[in-house]
Amino acid sequence: MAVRIRLARFGRKKRPFYRLVVADARAPRDGMYIEQIGTYNPMTDPAEINVKEDRALHWLFNGAQPSETAKALFVKTGVWEKFLSGKKQ
């Protein structure tokens, strides 16, 4: 099973709110997911990003592939740097 870390959209029309989820790559965008590992609210200034670092690193080290947007959020929060430094050891 291919596992992806991606965003699931919630919120009402023109007021998006996203959950950072770990899901099967074949599942629909807002469908079932394995685990929620964070949130992203682009409507606040600055955008609010919450990531459960330990769970995100767990999934990354176990082979989950982040989407481009999820990877950008990991870079902003510093999770991606910790993943790369842990991977080199």
Side-chain angles (χ1 to χ4, degrees), residues 14-60:
K14 300 194 183 205
R15 301 280 304 169
F17 180 82
Y18 298 95
R19 290 182 184 168
L20 193 59
V21 298
V22 178
D24 183 0
R26 298 169 293 182
R29 179 191 73 182
D30 298 334
M32 289 187 56
Y33 55 86
I34 300 169
E35 182 179 358
Q36 178 183 338
I37 60 171
T39 59
Y40 171 56
N41 186 0
M43 298 304 291
T44 60
D45 190 26
E48 182 182 333
I49 304 169
N50 297 319
V51 177
K52 296 178 187 171
E53 232 176 79
D54 59 330
R55 296 308 296 161
L57 289 171
H58 165 80
W59 283 106
L60 288 169

